[in-house]
Amino acid sequence: MADIQGLSLQNLASQGAERISSNPMRLNQTRFLIESLINHSESRLHTPLQQDMLSTLALNLLTQESSKQTVAPSYQHRLAVVEKIKAFLHENPQQAVTITQLCELTFVSRRTLQYSFESILGINPLRFLRLTRLNNVRRELKQPQQDIPISVIAANWGFWHAGQFTKDYTQLFGENPSTTLKRYK
């Protein structure tokens, strides 16, 4: 998983690496997110998405920043990466997509994906994916006769913290998700 995402893991095989120290704030955030994912396992959350999120959280704790410089890909390559992802998301609007899947789709590391999105769109791939997922939630909420709870729809698109989801949704669309749902019922 670390190789797919282009991450460098600390030397875990050496003596004395039985315990890894981590930034306490980062560790607490990770604990909260893992607990949230586990608690939502009964609410129809897509299992592959849940597994990818848990793997990503674990990898974030195990990664270390690489000290070597890498050459950024050319502009054309970065543009091609972003365009391929945009086309894939357009063709598969109902599919919850993860960063790992985007790396596999474009055959690039997580770092190259990051550089590509920041230089082409001015945002990181997580922000782009979040905006895409918010739009997908909105699309589902606008379907007539929608009977699935908002929290389940949001969780299926990767939003497991209801308060943060509502804040992000309201900031992007200028209305609460419940308002959208009522307007299109």
Side-chain angles (χ1 to χ4, degrees):
M1 182 69 99
D3 289 340
I4 289 171
Q5 295 187 13
L7 299 173
S8 173
L9 294 180
Q10 297 176 3
N11 187 3
L12 300 177
S14 68
Q15 291 283 12
E18 292 83 14
R19 289 189 73 116
I20 300 171
S21 59
S22 181
N23 176 322
M25 188 170 81
R26 184 176 184 187
L27 189 58
N28 284 336
Q29 288 174 338
T30 303
R31 284 182 182 139
F32 172 77
L33 293 174
I34 289 173
E35 184 179 321
S36 296
L37 280 172
I38 291 170
N39 289 337
H40 280 88
S41 63
E42 297 174 6
S43 63
R44 298 189 273 179
L45 183 65
H46 295 291
T47 303
L49 178 62
Q50 185 180 27
Q51 290 172 345
D52 186 73
M53 289 178 186
L54 288 170
S55 297
T56 301
L57 289 169
L59 283 173
N60 282 337
L61 289 176
L62 297 174
T63 56
Q64 65 182 10
E65 291 298 317
S66 175
S67 59
K68 51 184 184 171
Q69 296 267 347
T70 58
V71 178
S74 71
Y75 176 81
Q76 291 299 324
H77 181 257
R78 291 177 288 189
L79 180 62
V81 166
V82 171
E83 291 300 321
K84 186 171 187 174
I85 290 171
K86 287 170 68 175
F88 177 79
L89 293 175
H90 180 71
E91 293 168 6
N92 302 285
Q94 297 300 316
Q95 183 176 345
V97 182
T98 64
I99 294 296
T100 302
Q101 289 171 325
L102 296 181
C103 290
E104 291 171 353
L105 173 72
T106 56
F107 303 104
V108 297
S109 69
R110 188 178 187 105
R111 183 169 290 152
T112 301
L113 190 71
Q114 178 89 10
Y115 291 152
S116 298
F117 272 85
E118 287 178 351
S119 65
I120 302 299
L121 298 177
I123 59 174
N124 64 44
L126 287 174
R127 175 88 174 129
F128 177 79
L129 200 51
R130 184 178 300 116
L131 293 173
T132 302
R133 288 176 176 168
L134 283 167
N135 277 290
N136 286 332
V137 170
R138 184 173 176 83
R139 196 172 290 118
E140 279 194 48
L141 292 176
K142 291 168 82 174
Q143 291 179 0
Q145 310 304 323
Q146 184 58 260
D147 63 348
I148 300 173
I150 294 171
S151 60
V152 173
I153 294 171
N156 283 334
W157 286 105
F159 300 101
W160 58 90
H161 188 276
Q164 186 63 49
F165 162 71
T166 302
K167 178 182 173 189
D168 291 346
Y169 187 96
T170 303
Q171 185 178 18
L172 183 61
F173 299 114
E175 66 183 13
N176 286 330
S178 58
T179 305
T180 303
L181 185 62
K182 287 175 188 172
R183 186 165 2 119
Y184 290 96
K185 266 200 164 183

